[in-house]
Coordinates of all heavy atoms in Angstrom, one line a residue:
R92 N -0.9 -21.7 5.7 CA -1.9 -22.8 5.8 C -3.1 -22.5 6.7 O -4.2 -23.1 6.5 CB -1.2 -24.1 6.2 CG -0.2 -24.6 5.3 CD 0.4 -25.9 5.7 NE 1.3 -26.5 4.8 CZ 2.0 -27.6 4.9 NH1 1.8 -28.4 6.1 NH2 2.8 -28.1 4.0
G93 N -2.9 -21.7 7.7 CA -3.9 -21.6 8.7 C -4.7 -20.3 8.7 O -5.8 -20.2 9.1
S94 N -4.1 -19.2 8.1 CA -4.7 -17.9 8.3 C -4.2 -16.9 7.2 O -3.3 -17.3 6.4 CB -4.6 -17.3 9.7 OG -5.4 -16.3 9.9
G95 N -4.7 -15.6 7.3 CA -4.2 -14.6 6.3 C -4.2 -13.3 7.0 O -4.8 -13.0 8.1
I96 N -3.5 -12.3 6.3 CA -3.4 -11.0 6.8 C -3.1 -10.0 5.6 O -2.6 -10.5 4.6 CB -2.3 -10.9 7.9 CG1 -2.5 -9.6 8.7 CG2 -0.9 -11.0 7.3 CD1 -1.6 -9.6 10.0
Y97 N -3.4 -8.8 5.8 CA -3.1 -7.8 4.8 C -1.8 -7.1 5.1 O -1.6 -6.6 6.3 CB -4.2 -6.7 4.7 CG -4.0 -5.8 3.5 CD1 -4.3 -6.1 2.2 CD2 -3.5 -4.5 3.7 CE1 -4.1 -5.3 1.1 CE2 -3.3 -3.6 2.7 CZ -3.6 -4.0 1.4 OH -3.4 -3.1 0.4
V98 N -0.9 -7.0 4.2 CA 0.4 -6.3 4.3 C 0.3 -5.0 3.7 O 0.1 -4.9 2.5 CB 1.5 -7.2 3.7 CG1 2.9 -6.4 3.9 CG2 1.6 -8.6 4.3
S99 N 0.4 -3.9 4.5 CA 0.3 -2.6 4.0 C 1.6 -1.9 3.7 O 2.4 -1.7 4.6 CB -0.5 -1.7 5.0 OG -0.6 -0.4 4.6
V100 N 1.9 -1.6 2.4 CA 3.2 -1.0 2.0 C 2.9 0.2 1.1 O 1.9 0.1 0.3 CB 4.2 -2.0 1.4 CG1 4.7 -3.0 2.4 CG2 3.5 -2.7 0.2
A101 N 3.7 1.2 1.1 CA 3.5 2.4 0.2 C 4.0 2.1 -1.2 O 3.5 2.6 -2.1 CB 4.1 3.6 0.9
A102 N 5.1 1.4 -1.3 CA 5.8 1.1 -2.6 C 5.1 -0.1 -3.3 O 4.7 -1.0 -2.6 CB 7.3 0.9 -2.3
D103 N 5.1 0.0 -4.6 CA 4.6 -1.1 -5.4 C 5.8 -2.1 -5.5 O 6.7 -1.9 -6.3 CB 4.2 -0.6 -6.8 CG 3.5 -1.7 -7.6 OD1 3.6 -2.9 -7.2 OD2 3.0 -1.5 -8.7
L104 N 5.7 -3.3 -4.8 CA 6.7 -4.3 -4.8 C 6.5 -5.3 -5.9 O 7.3 -6.3 -6.0 CB 6.8 -4.9 -3.5 CG 7.1 -3.9 -2.3 CD1 7.2 -4.7 -1.0 CD2 8.4 -3.1 -2.6
G105 N 5.5 -5.2 -6.7 CA 5.2 -6.1 -7.8 C 4.8 -7.5 -7.4 O 5.1 -8.5 -8.1
V106 N 4.3 -7.6 -6.2 CA 3.9 -8.9 -5.7 C 2.6 -9.4 -6.4 O 1.7 -8.7 -6.6 CB 3.6 -8.9 -4.2 CG1 3.0 -10.2 -3.6 CG2 4.9 -8.5 -3.4
A107 N 2.7 -10.7 -6.8 CA 1.5 -11.3 -7.5 C 1.1 -12.5 -6.8 O 1.8 -13.1 -6.0 CB 1.9 -11.7 -9.0
P108 N -0.2 -13.0 -7.0 CA -0.6 -14.2 -6.3 C 0.3 -15.3 -6.6 O 0.9 -15.5 -7.7 CB -2.0 -14.4 -6.9 CG -2.5 -13.1 -7.3 CD -1.3 -12.3 -7.7
R109 N 0.6 -16.2 -5.6 CA 1.5 -17.3 -5.6 C 2.9 -16.9 -5.3 O 3.8 -17.8 -5.2 CB 1.4 -18.2 -6.8 CG 0.0 -18.8 -7.0 CD 0.0 -19.9 -8.1 NE 0.9 -21.0 -7.8 CZ 1.1 -22.1 -8.6 NH1 0.4 -22.1 -9.7 NH2 1.9 -23.1 -8.2
T110 N 3.2 -15.6 -5.2 CA 4.5 -15.2 -4.7 C 4.7 -15.6 -3.3 O 3.9 -15.3 -2.4 CB 4.7 -13.7 -4.9 OG1 4.5 -13.4 -6.3 CG2 6.1 -13.3 -4.5
R111 N 5.8 -16.2 -3.0 CA 6.1 -16.5 -1.6 C 6.9 -15.3 -0.9 O 7.8 -14.8 -1.5 CB 7.0 -17.8 -1.4 CG 7.2 -18.2 0.0 CD 7.9 -19.6 0.1 NE 7.1 -20.6 -0.4 CZ 6.1 -21.2 0.3 NH1 5.8 -20.8 1.6 NH2 5.4 -22.2 -0.2
V112 N 6.3 -14.8 0.2 CA 6.9 -13.6 0.8 C 7.0 -13.8 2.3 O 6.2 -14.4 3.0 CB 5.9 -12.4 0.5 CG1 6.5 -11.1 1.0 CG2 5.5 -12.4 -0.9
R113 N 8.2 -13.3 2.8 CA 8.4 -13.2 4.2 C 8.4 -11.7 4.6 O 9.1 -10.9 4.0 CB 9.8 -13.8 4.6 CG 10.1 -13.7 6.1 CD 11.3 -14.5 6.4 NE 11.1 -16.0 6.2 CZ 12.0 -16.9 6.4 NH1 13.2 -16.6 6.9 NH2 11.7 -18.2 6.2
V114 N 7.6 -11.4 5.6 CA 7.5 -10.0 6.0 C 7.7 -9.8 7.5 O 7.2 -10.5 8.3 CB 6.0 -9.5 5.7 CG1 5.9 -8.0 6.0 CG2 5.7 -9.7 4.2
T115 N 8.5 -8.8 7.8 CA 8.6 -8.3 9.2 C 8.0 -7.0 9.3 O 8.3 -6.0 8.6 CB 10.1 -8.2 9.6 OG1 10.7 -9.5 9.5 CG2 10.3 -7.7 11.0
G116 N 7.1 -6.8 10.3 CA 6.4 -5.6 10.4 C 5.7 -5.5 11.7 O 5.8 -6.3 12.6
T117 N 4.8 -4.4 11.9 CA 4.1 -4.2 13.1 C 2.6 -4.3 12.9 O 2.1 -3.8 11.9 CB 4.4 -2.7 13.6 OG1 5.8 -2.6 13.8 CG2 3.8 -2.5 14.9
L118 N 2.0 -5.0 13.8 CA 0.5 -5.2 13.7 C -0.2 -3.8 14.0 O 0.0 -3.2 15.0 CB 0.1 -6.2 14.7 CG 0.6 -7.6 14.5 CD1 0.3 -8.5 15.7 CD2 0.1 -8.2 13.2
R119 N -1.1 -3.5 13.1 CA -1.9 -2.2 13.2 C -3.3 -2.5 12.9 O -3.7 -3.5 12.4 CB -1.3 -1.2 12.3 CG 0.1 -0.8 12.3 CD 0.5 0.0 13.6 NE 1.9 0.4 13.5 CZ 2.5 0.9 14.6 NH1 1.9 1.1 15.7 NH2 3.8 1.2 14.5
D120 N -4.2 -1.5 13.3 CA -5.6 -1.6 12.9 C -5.9 -0.6 11.9 O -5.5 0.6 12.0 CB -6.4 -1.4 14.2 CG -7.9 -1.3 13.8 OD1 -8.5 -2.4 13.8 OD2 -8.4 -0.2 13.6
S121 N -6.6 -1.0 10.8 CA -7.1 0.0 9.8 C -8.6 -0.1 9.7 O -9.1 -1.0 9.0 CB -6.4 -0.3 8.5 OG -6.9 0.6 7.5
F122 N -9.3 0.7 10.4 CA -10.8 0.7 10.4 C -11.3 -0.7 10.6 O -12.2 -1.1 9.9 CB -11.2 1.3 9.0 CG -10.9 2.8 8.9 CD1 -9.7 3.1 8.3 CD2 -11.8 3.8 9.3 CE1 -9.3 4.5 8.2 CE2 -11.4 5.1 9.1 CZ -10.2 5.4 8.6
G123 N -10.8 -1.4 11.6 CA -11.3 -2.7 12.0 C -10.5 -3.8 11.4 O -10.6 -5.0 11.9
L124 N -9.8 -3.6 10.3 CA -9.0 -4.6 9.6 C -7.6 -4.7 10.2 O -6.9 -3.7 10.3 CB -8.9 -4.4 8.1 CG -8.1 -5.4 7.3 CD1 -8.8 -6.7 7.2 CD2 -7.8 -4.8 5.9
L125 N -7.2 -5.9 10.7 CA -5.8 -6.1 11.2 C -4.9 -6.1 10.0 O -5.1 -6.9 9.0 CB -5.7 -7.4 11.9 CG -4.4 -7.7 12.5 CD1 -4.0 -6.7 13.6 CD2 -4.3 -9.1 13.1
I126 N -3.8 -5.3 10.1 CA -2.9 -5.2 9.0 C -1.5 -5.3 9.6 O -1.2 -5.1 10.7 CB -3.0 -3.9 8.2 CG1 -2.7 -2.7 9.0 CG2 -4.4 -3.8 7.5 CD1 -2.7 -1.4 8.3
L127 N -0.5 -5.7 8.7 CA 0.9 -5.8 9.1 C 1.6 -4.7 8.3 O 1.6 -4.7 7.0 CB 1.5 -7.2 8.7 CG 2.9 -7.5 9.1 CD1 3.1 -7.3 10.6 CD2 3.3 -8.8 8.7
V128 N 2.3 -3.8 9.0 CA 3.0 -2.7 8.3 C 4.5 -2.8 8.5 O 5.0 -2.6 9.6 CB 2.5 -1.3 9.0 CG1 3.1 -0.2 8.2 CG2 1.0 -1.3 8.9
P129 N 5.2 -3.1 7.4 CA 6.7 -3.1 7.5 C 7.3 -1.7 7.7 O 6.7 -0.8 7.2 CB 7.1 -3.7 6.1 CG 5.9 -4.3 5.5 CD 4.7 -3.5 6.1
D130 N 8.4 -1.6 8.3 CA 9.1 -0.3 8.5 C 9.6 0.2 7.2 O 9.7 1.4 7.0 CB 10.2 -0.5 9.6 CG 9.6 -0.6 11.0 OD1 8.5 -0.2 11.2 OD2 10.4 -1.1 11.8
D131 N 10.0 -0.7 6.3 CA 10.5 -0.2 5.0 C 10.4 -1.4 4.0 O 10.2 -2.6 4.5 CB 12.0 0.2 5.1 CG 12.9 -0.9 5.6 OD1 13.2 -1.8 4.8 OD2 13.5 -0.8 6.7
P132 N 10.5 -1.1 2.7 CA 10.3 -2.2 1.7 C 11.3 -3.4 1.9 O 11.0 -4.5 1.5 CB 10.6 -1.5 0.4 CG 10.2 0.0 0.7 CD 10.6 0.2 2.1
A133 N 12.5 -3.1 2.5 CA 13.5 -4.2 2.7 C 13.0 -5.2 3.6 O 13.6 -6.3 3.7 CB 14.8 -3.6 3.1
A134 N 12.0 -4.9 4.4 CA 11.4 -5.9 5.4 C 10.5 -6.9 4.7 O 9.9 -7.8 5.3 CB 10.7 -5.2 6.5
V135 N 10.2 -6.7 3.4 CA 9.4 -7.6 2.6 C 10.3 -8.4 1.6 O 10.9 -7.8 0.7 CB 8.4 -6.8 1.8 CG1 7.5 -7.8 1.0 CG2 7.5 -6.0 2.7
V136 N 10.5 -9.6 1.9 CA 11.4 -10.5 1.1 C 10.7 -11.5 0.3 O 10.0 -12.4 0.8 CB 12.4 -11.2 2.1 CG1 13.4 -12.0 1.3 CG2 13.2 -10.2 2.9
V137 N 10.8 -11.3 -1.0 CA 10.2 -12.3 -2.0 C 11.2 -13.4 -2.1 O 12.4 -13.2 -2.4 CB 9.9 -11.6 -3.3 CG1 9.4 -12.7 -4.3 CG2 8.9 -10.5 -3.1
H138 N 10.7 -14.7 -2.0 CA 11.6 -15.8 -2.1 C 11.0 -17.0 -2.8 O 10.7 -18.0 -2.3 CB 12.2 -16.2 -0.7 CG 11.2 -16.6 0.3 ND1 10.9 -17.9 0.6 CD2 10.3 -15.9 1.0 CE1 10.0 -18.0 1.5 NE2 9.6 -16.8 1.8
G139 N 10.7 -16.8 -4.1 CA 10.2 -17.9 -4.9 C 8.7 -17.9 -5.1 O 8.0 -16.9 -4.9
R140 N 8.2 -19.0 -5.6 CA 6.8 -19.2 -5.9 C 6.2 -20.3 -5.1 O 6.8 -21.3 -4.9 CB 6.7 -19.5 -7.4 CG 5.3 -19.6 -8.0 CD 5.4 -19.8 -9.5 NE 4.1 -20.0 -10.1 CZ 3.2 -19.1 -10.4 NH1 3.4 -17.9 -10.2 NH2 2.0 -19.5 -11.0
G141 N 5.1 -20.0 -4.6 CA 4.4 -21.0 -3.7 C 3.2 -21.7 -4.4 O 2.9 -21.4 -5.5
P142 N 2.5 -22.5 -3.6 CA 1.4 -23.2 -4.2 C 0.2 -22.2 -4.4 O 0.1 -21.2 -3.7 CB 1.0 -24.2 -3.1 CG 1.5 -23.6 -1.9 CD 2.8 -22.9 -2.2
A143 N -0.7 -22.6 -5.3 CA -1.9 -21.8 -5.5 C -2.8 -21.9 -4.2 O -3.0 -23.0 -3.7 CB -2.7 -22.2 -6.7
V144 N -3.3 -20.8 -3.7 CA -4.1 -20.8 -2.6 C -5.6 -20.9 -3.0 O -6.1 -20.1 -3.8 CB -4.0 -19.5 -1.8 CG1 -5.0 -19.4 -0.6 CG2 -2.6 -19.3 -1.3
R145 N -6.2 -22.0 -2.6 CA -7.6 -22.2 -3.0 C -8.5 -21.4 -2.1 O -8.3 -21.4 -0.8 CB -8.0 -23.7 -2.9 CG -7.2 -24.5 -3.9 CD -7.7 -25.9 -3.9 NE -7.0 -26.7 -4.9 CZ -7.3 -28.0 -5.2 NH1 -8.2 -28.6 -4.5 NH2 -6.6 -28.7 -6.1
P146 N -9.5 -20.7 -2.6 CA -10.4 -19.9 -1.8 C -11.3 -20.8 -0.9 O -11.7 -21.9 -1.3 CB -11.3 -19.2 -2.8 CG -11.2 -20.0 -4.0 CD -9.9 -20.6 -4.1
R147 N -11.4 -20.4 0.3 CA -12.2 -21.1 1.3 C -13.7 -20.9 1.1 O -14.2 -19.7 1.1 CB -11.9 -20.6 2.7 CG -12.7 -21.2 3.9 CD -12.2 -20.5 5.2 NE -13.0 -20.9 6.3 CZ -13.0 -20.4 7.5 NH1 -12.1 -19.4 7.7 NH2 -13.8 -20.8 8.5
P148 N -14.5 -21.9 0.8 CA -15.9 -21.7 0.5 C -16.7 -21.4 1.8 O -16.5 -22.1 2.9 CB -16.4 -23.1 0.0 CG -15.4 -24.1 0.5 CD -14.1 -23.4 0.6
L149 N -17.5 -20.4 1.8 CA -18.2 -20.0 3.0 C -19.6 -19.6 2.7 O -19.9 -19.1 1.6 CB -17.5 -18.8 3.7 CG -16.1 -19.0 4.4 CD1 -15.6 -17.7 4.8 CD2 -16.3 -20.0 5.5
A150 N -20.5 -19.6 3.7 CA -21.8 -19.0 3.6 C -21.6 -17.5 3.8 O -20.6 -17.1 4.4 CB -22.7 -19.6 4.7
T151 N -22.5 -16.7 3.2 CA -22.3 -15.2 3.3 C -22.3 -14.8 4.8 O -21.6 -13.9 5.2 CB -23.4 -14.5 2.6 OG1 -24.7 -15.0 3.0 CG2 -23.3 -14.8 1.1
G152 N -23.1 -15.5 5.6 CA -23.2 -15.1 7.0 C -22.0 -15.5 7.8 O -21.8 -15.1 9.0
A153 N -21.1 -16.3 7.2 CA -19.9 -16.9 7.9 C -18.7 -16.0 7.7 O -17.6 -16.2 8.3 CB -19.7 -18.3 7.6
V154 N -18.8 -15.1 6.7 CA -17.6 -14.2 6.5 C -17.5 -13.2 7.6 O -18.5 -12.4 7.8 CB -17.8 -13.4 5.1 CG1 -16.7 -12.5 4.9 CG2 -17.9 -14.5 4.0
G155 N -16.4 -13.3 8.3 CA -16.3 -12.4 9.5 C -14.9 -12.4 10.1 O -13.9 -12.6 9.3
E156 N -14.8 -12.3 11.4 CA -13.5 -12.2 12.0 C -12.7 -13.4 11.8 O -11.4 -13.4 11.7 CB -13.7 -11.9 13.5 CG -12.4 -11.3 14.2 CD -12.0 -10.0 13.7 OE1 -12.9 -9.2 13.3 OE2 -10.8 -9.7 13.7
N157 N -13.3 -14.6 11.8 CA -12.6 -15.9 11.7 C -12.1 -16.1 10.3 O -11.2 -16.9 10.1 CB -13.5 -17.0 12.1 CG -13.8 -17.1 13.6 OD1 -13.0 -16.6 14.4 ND2 -14.9 -17.7 13.9
S158 N -12.6 -15.4 9.3 CA -12.1 -15.5 7.9 C -11.3 -14.4 7.5 O -10.7 -14.4 6.4 CB -13.3 -15.7 6.9 OG -14.1 -14.5 6.8
E159 N -11.2 -13.3 8.3 CA -10.5 -12.1 7.9 C -9.1 -12.3 7.4 O -8.3 -13.1 8.1 CB -10.5 -11.1 9.0 CG -10.0 -9.7 8.6 CD -10.0 -8.7 9.8 OE1 -11.1 -8.2 10.2 OE2 -8.9 -8.5 10.4
G160 N -8.7 -11.8 6.3 CA -7.4 -11.9 5.8 C -7.2 -13.1 4.8 O -6.2 -13.2 4.1
Q161 N -8.2 -14.0 4.7 CA -8.1 -15.2 3.9 C -8.8 -15.0 2.5 O -9.6 -14.1 2.3 CB -8.8 -16.3 4.6 CG -8.2 -16.7 5.9 CD -9.0 -17.9 6.6 OE1 -9.6 -18.7 5.9 NE2 -9.0 -17.9 7.9
L162 N -8.4 -15.8 1.6 CA -9.1 -15.9 0.3 C -10.3 -16.7 0.4 O -10.2 -17.9 0.9 CB -8.1 -16.4 -0.8 CG -8.6 -16.3 -2.2 CD1 -8.7 -14.9 -2.6 CD2 -7.7 -17.1 -3.1
V163 N -11.5 -16.2 0.1 CA -12.7 -16.9 0.4 C -13.6 -16.8 -0.9 O -13.4 -16.1 -1.8 CB -13.5 -16.3 1.6 CG1 -12.7 -16.4 2.8 CG2 -13.9 -14.9 1.3
R164 N -14.7 -17.7 -0.9 CA -15.6 -17.7 -2.0 C -17.0 -17.9 -1.5 O -17.3 -18.7 -0.6 CB -15.3 -18.8 -3.0 CG -16.3 -18.9 -4.1 CD -16.0 -20.1 -5.1 NE -14.8 -19.7 -5.8 CZ -13.9 -20.6 -6.3 NH1 -14.1 -21.9 -6.0 NH2 -12.9 -20.2 -7.0
V165 N -18.0 -17.2 -2.0 CA -19.4 -17.4 -1.7 C -20.2 -17.5 -3.0 O -19.8 -17.0 -4.0 CB -20.0 -16.2 -0.8 CG1 -19.3 -16.1 0.5 CG2 -19.9 -14.9 -1.6
I166 N -21.3 -18.2 -2.9 CA -22.2 -18.3 -4.0 C -23.6 -17.9 -3.4 O -24.1 -18.5 -2.5 CB -22.4 -19.7 -4.6 CG1 -21.0 -20.2 -5.2 CG2 -23.4 -19.8 -5.6 CD1 -21.0 -21.6 -5.7
A167 N -24.1 -16.8 -4.0 CA -25.3 -16.2 -3.4 C -26.1 -15.3 -4.4 O -25.6 -15.1 -5.5 CB -24.9 -15.3 -2.2
T168 N -27.2 -14.9 -3.9 CA -28.1 -14.0 -4.7 C -27.8 -12.5 -4.4 O -27.7 -12.2 -3.3 CB -29.6 -14.4 -4.5 OG1 -29.8 -15.7 -4.8 CG2 -30.5 -13.5 -5.3
I169 N -27.8 -11.8 -5.5 CA -27.6 -10.3 -5.3 C -28.9 -9.7 -4.7 O -30.0 -9.9 -5.2 CB -27.3 -9.6 -6.6 CG1 -26.0 -10.2 -7.2 CG2 -27.2 -8.1 -6.4 CD1 -25.6 -9.6 -8.6
T170 N -28.7 -9.1 -3.6 CA -29.9 -8.4 -2.9 C -29.9 -6.9 -3.1 O -30.9 -6.3 -2.9 CB -29.9 -8.8 -1.4 OG1 -28.6 -8.4 -0.8 CG2 -30.1 -10.3 -1.2
Q171 N -28.7 -6.3 -3.3 CA -28.6 -4.9 -3.6 C -27.8 -4.8 -4.9 O -26.6 -5.2 -4.9 CB -28.0 -4.2 -2.5 CG -28.9 -4.1 -1.2 CD -28.2 -3.3 -0.1 OE1 -27.7 -2.2 -0.3 NE2 -28.3 -3.8 1.1
A172 N -28.3 -4.2 -5.9 CA -27.6 -4.0 -7.2 C -26.3 -3.2 -7.0 O -26.2 -2.4 -6.1 CB -28.5 -3.4 -8.2
P173 N -25.3 -3.4 -7.9 CA -24.1 -2.6 -7.8 C -24.4 -1.1 -7.9 O -25.2 -0.6 -8.7 CB -23.3 -3.1 -9.1 CG -23.8 -4.4 -9.3 CD -25.3 -4.4 -8.9
A174 N -23.7 -0.4 -7.0 CA -23.8 1.1 -7.0 C -22.5 1.7 -6.7 O -21.6 1.1 -6.0 CB -24.8 1.5 -5.9
P175 N -22.2 2.9 -7.3 CA -20.9 3.5 -7.1 C -20.7 4.0 -5.7 O -21.7 4.4 -5.0 CB -20.9 4.7 -8.1 CG -22.4 5.0 -8.3 CD -23.1 3.7 -8.2
D176 N -19.5 3.8 -5.2 CA -19.1 4.4 -3.8 C -17.9 5.2 -4.1 O -16.8 4.8 -3.7 CB -18.9 3.2 -2.9 CG -18.7 3.7 -1.4 OD1 -18.9 4.9 -1.2 OD2 -18.3 2.9 -0.6
L177 N -18.0 6.3 -4.8 CA -16.9 7.1 -5.3 C -16.3 7.9 -4.1 O -16.9 8.3 -3.2 CB -17.4 8.0 -6.4 CG -18.0 7.3 -7.6 CD1 -18.6 8.4 -8.6 CD2 -17.0 6.5 -8.3
P178 N -15.0 8.1 -4.2 CA -14.0 7.7 -5.3 C -13.4 6.3 -5.1 O -12.4 6.0 -5.7 CB -13.0 8.8 -5.3 CG -12.9 9.1 -3.8 CD -14.3 8.9 -3.2
Y179 N -13.9 5.5 -4.2 CA -13.3 4.3 -3.7 C -13.5 3.1 -4.7 O -12.7 2.2 -4.8 CB -13.7 4.0 -2.3 CG -13.7 5.2 -1.4 CD1 -14.9 5.8 -1.0 CD2 -12.5 5.8 -1.0 CE1 -14.9 6.9 -0.2 CE2 -12.5 6.9 -0.2 CZ -13.7 7.5 0.2 OH -13.7 8.6 0.9
G180 N -14.7 3.1 -5.3 CA -15.0 1.9 -6.1 C -16.5 1.8 -6.2 O -17.3 2.7 -6.3
S181 N -17.0 0.5 -6.2 CA -18.4 0.2 -6.3 C -18.7 -0.9 -5.3 O -17.8 -1.7 -4.9 CB -18.8 -0.2 -7.7 OG -18.6 0.8 -8.6
K182 N -20.0 -1.1 -5.0 CA -20.3 -2.2 -4.1 C -21.7 -2.7 -4.4 O -22.5 -2.0 -5.0 CB -20.2 -1.7 -2.6 CG -21.2 -0.6 -2.3 CD -21.0 -0.2 -0.8 CE -21.9 1.0 -0.4 NZ -21.8 1.4 1.0
F183 N -21.9 -4.0 -4.0 CA -23.2 -4.5 -4.0 C -23.4 -5.5 -2.9 O -22.4 -5.8 -2.2 CB -23.5 -5.2 -5.4 CG -22.6 -6.3 -5.8 CD1 -23.0 -7.6 -5.6 CD2 -21.4 -6.0 -6.4 CE1 -22.2 -8.7 -6.1 CE2 -20.6 -7.1 -6.8 CZ -21.0 -8.4 -6.6

Side-chain angles (χ1 to χ4, degrees):
R92 291 184 178 182
S94 194
I96 197 166
Y97 186 80
V98 179
S99 177
V100 290
D103 186 351
L104 302 181
V106 173
R109 295 192 65 177
T110 302
R111 187 173 291 281
V112 189
R113 180 171 295 182
V114 182
T115 298
T117 304
L118 296 170
R119 307 286 187 192
D120 175 85
S121 176
F122 294 88
L124 178 68
L125 180 67
I126 63 175
L127 183 61
V128 184
D130 287 337
D131 62 69
V135 180
V136 179
V137 173
H138 59 104
R140 185 171 172 84
V144 177
R145 295 187 177 183
R147 176 184 173 188
L149 289 176
T151 54
V154 176
E156 198 66 32
N157 288 334
S158 67
E159 187 182 285
Q161 299 178 30
L162 190 65
V163 300
R164 175 181 291 151
V165 298
I166 297 176
T168 301
I169 298 175
T170 53
Q171 296 183 41
D176 188 8
L177 301 176
Y179 315 108
S181 299
K182 62 182 180 181
F183 61 98

